[in-house]
Amino acid sequence: MTIKHIEEYRDPDTSRKIIDRIQNISKSKIRIMEVCGTHTMSIFRSGIRALLPNTISLLSGPGCPVCVTAQNEIDAFIELSRVDDVIIATFGDILRVPGTQSTLQKEKGYGGDIRVVYSTFDALDIARRNPGKRIVFLGVGFETTAPTIAASIISANEMGLDNFFVFSAHKLVPPALEALLETDNVRIDGFILPGHVSVIIGTKAYTPLFEKYKIPGAVAGFEPIDILQAVSLLIEQIESGHPRLENAYIRAVTFDGNKKAQKIMHDVFETVDINWRGMGTIPKSGLKIRKGYAAFDAQREFDILVPYSKDPKGCACGEILTGMKIPPECILYKKICTPMDPVGPCMVSSEGTCAAYYRYHS
Amino acid sequence: MCLAIPSKIVKIENNMGTIDVAGARRKVSLLLLEDAIVGDYVIVHAGFALHKIDESAANEALKILREAVSRVEGRD
Ligand code: SF4
């Protein structure tokens, strides 16, 4: 099978030409932040950072879903996994994230029933096959993941499942961008905006923010050339003094986004203030299950008491997620904290900045 | 994590599609798409098709890319 819509975005000759252009036009020292774990991985893997002129610093923002999950949420997941009749269903990355005292991985070793699934439908299957158990799906992710979880709640409702629950720890990207722009000590000259979050929400979701802050922005796909194109657009905007919101991923992202997915997400969830790792509580940046679907809300079904939560001592993940530090500036990086034995989530997830540095930045 | 490669739908049955990802077959839910037919290329995330690639937008994107590259070539 030919892989369509992809080869031309990996062509080395094209890459080189765009890099030449960037070299030619980049004058001032700037800091560009990507807010998507898949961008982080792609940037490191393709070695783009080394090819850009030293006027440009690329920073990884709060774009890795596991990394931005707050410590109290991780601790709540761990508490839930200890309930007798509970089966936890989750995407894999979260298992090794250290909570205050344990990890889901350890709980699994102690006998907790924790299963890694590929999609929420797998979790529905588990619920159907285990009528005597309560299945809790850990809802971690941004606007890309939230509609898939909303769709599974609607399906569970239609199937009459009464043993399927979702712990919604979802986070929303535009409010996080605003919070970053409002944070003292954070200097960002432009954003590379996430590809598949934007597939869902459309570029229109960013319009109010970009009108208010007049900051350069470009939505990007995941191939090296997609990212280089976005960087080149951002430099042009910055050098010409015309900040705006551009779409460098038009084969997938439209102005309106995926309206059906937005509706499904809106039918099931409402926005709430939520706590982000390293960023504190950001207004209307989380999703809570609406009353109509309350029967599927794990936070209502279970009285989860997390006595106290504490971020790992010495871990600078929070500052890394906001672009204030880079991993080598963390005292634990490589010495105590490694992908084999991670201290913080930024080293656990393959999309985490510390893990990417460790792997590609020797 | 996002799967960047658009995948082709080879079969559809009750809102579930079968896609071909570089030779491997996978099932995806089509609940988040308005309409999808066999032969469409879709972007998939966590077992769901999120977007149907629009040929004309994809071609437009390539045109922009080629123009950007030829601008650079013009300077060489
Ligand atoms: S290197 Fe480890 S301890 Fe340091 S910030 Fe990254 S995840 Fe936290």
Side-chain angles (χ1 to χ4, degrees):
Chain A
M1 189 200 81
T2 56
I3 304 175
K4 228 180 160 185
H5 310 298
I6 223 78
E7 304 96 335
E8 298 194 70
Y9 294 92
R10 292 182 178 171
D11 177 45
D13 198 41
T14 307
S15 289
R16 197 180 45 77
K17 283 176 183 145
I18 302 177
I19 290 167
D20 281 355
R21 169 151 179 81
I22 293 173
Q23 300 267 14
N24 282 337
I25 58 174
S26 175
K27 303 274 180 288
S28 36
K29 267 203 168 308
I30 54 158
R31 291 157 58 87
I32 293 175
M33 178 178 270
E34 91 268 355
V35 193
C36 164
T38 312
H39 280 159
T40 305
M41 280 173 68
S42 178
I43 287 170
F44 276 91
R45 200 192 289 133
S46 60
I48 286 177
R49 297 164 68 102
L51 301 173
L52 292 176
N54 54 16
T55 39
I56 303 168
S57 307
L58 290 183
L59 309 166
S60 305
C64 146
V66 166
C67 306
V68 298
T69 302
Q71 196 70 349
N72 61 323
E73 291 171 328
I74 302 284
D75 286 335
F77 300 163
I78 291 168
E79 280 307 316
L80 264 174
S81 77
R82 292 173 172 166
V83 178
D84 263 352
D85 64 338
V86 162
I87 300 176
I88 299 281
T90 177
F91 300 136
D93 264 5
I94 204 99
L95 257 67
R96 294 174 62 235
V97 175
T100 304
Q101 274 160 353
S102 181
T103 65
L104 285 170
Q105 183 92 46
K106 282 184 192 150
E107 296 302 319
K108 196 171 153 82
Y110 303 147
D113 196 341
I114 299 159
R115 306 188 191 179
V116 172
V117 295
Y118 164 68
S119 117
T120 49
F121 273 113
D122 302 337
L124 289 181
D125 263 347
I126 298 173
R128 227 179 357 223
R129 276 194 253 110
N130 295 275
K133 300 272 190 176
R134 290 183 289 177
I135 285 60
V136 181
F137 185 84
L138 306 180
V140 169
F142 299 113
E143 291 92 333
T144 324
T145 309
T148 72
I149 293 172
S152 73
I153 291 177
I154 293 173
S155 298
N157 194 32
E158 284 165 0
M159 290 189 270
L161 280 178
D162 60 2
N163 64 336
F164 175 78
F165 306 93
V166 169
F167 189 118
S168 176
H170 298 102
K171 313 256 183 306
L172 304 174
V173 170
L177 299 180
E178 172 143 27
L180 278 171
L181 292 169
E182 288 290 342
T183 308
D184 299 337
N185 307 329
V186 171
R187 198 199 117 202
I188 300 160
D189 300 304
F191 283 116
I192 298 175
L193 296 165
H196 290 172
V197 162
S198 307
V199 164
I200 300 294
I201 65 180
T203 52
K204 70 165 185 229
Y206 305 105
T207 314
L209 184 84
F210 282 79
E211 275 174 5
K212 182 170 168 193
Y213 292 90
K214 309 247 178 298
I215 177 148
V219 177
F222 302 109
E223 298 302 328
I225 288 171
D226 286 317
I227 292 167
L228 287 172
Q229 254 189 312
V231 171
S232 159
L233 290 175
L234 289 172
I235 312 279
E236 269 172 51
Q237 289 185 28
I238 293 166
E239 294 299 336
S240 67
H242 290 297
R244 62 189 175 277
L245 173 60
E246 285 186 277
N247 182 359
Y249 194 27
I250 58 172
R251 66 189 187 282
V253 174
T254 60
F255 175 74
D256 282 325
N258 180 337
K259 284 187 171 168
K260 189 173 180 191
Q262 289 166 21
K263 180 174 186 312
I264 288 174
M265 186 160 60
H266 179 81
D267 286 349
V268 173
F269 295 118
E270 58 189 318
T271 54
V272 281
D273 302 350
I274 202 167
N275 193 18
W276 294 55
R277 185 180 300 265
M279 298 178 73
T281 301
I282 303 177
K284 296 204 159 111
S285 68
L287 293 175
K288 175 179 177 270
I289 297 174
R290 286 185 190 275
K291 278 212 181 67
Y293 291 98
F296 301 95
D297 187 348
Q299 275 143 299
R300 277 180 59 125
E301 171 76 6
F302 299 90
D303 255 335
I304 317 149
L305 266 181
V306 178
Y308 86 112
S309 281
K310 230 172 86 216
D311 285 346
K313 203 165 166 243
C315 173
C317 212
E319 286 142 296
I320 287 168
L321 291 168
T322 48
M324 290 195 247
K325 276 193 178 168
I326 55 170
E329 291 170 335
C330 167
I331 46 167
L332 305 181
Y333 174 73
K334 262 190 175 174
K335 295 189 190 87
I336 294 174
C337 181
T338 64
M340 291 301 288
D341 198 7
V343 175
C346 299
M347 189 61 96
V348 173
S349 173
S350 53
E351 300 191 337
T353 315
C354 299
Y357 255 81
Y358 190 94
R359 242 181 114 185
Y360 297 105
H361 222 269
S362 49
Chain B
M1 195 188 82
C2 300
L3 183 64
I5 303 171
S7 314
K8 189 179 178 176
I9 301 182
V10 292
K11 203 171 111 190
I12 296 180
E13 243 173 331
N14 309 323
N15 269 324
M16 287 301 281
T18 304
I19 52 162
D20 183 318
V21 190
R25 298 276 158 120
R26 257 197 202 166
K27 288 237 186 269
V28 292
S29 166
L30 303 175
L31 281 175
L32 299 179
L33 290 187
E34 282 301 349
D35 52 352
I37 53 169
V38 170
D40 281 342
Y41 280 80
V42 289
I43 288 175
V44 171
H45 179 81
F48 284 76
L50 296 187
H51 178 78
K52 190 171 99 175
I53 300 271
D54 174 59
E55 280 291 324
S56 61
N59 291 334
E60 174 69 19
L62 278 178
K63 211 176 113 209
I64 293 170
L65 177 63
R66 286 183 196 128
E67 275 169 14
V69 170
S70 66
R71 270 214 315 272
V72 180
E73 276 171 342
R75 285 162 172 254
D76 282 350

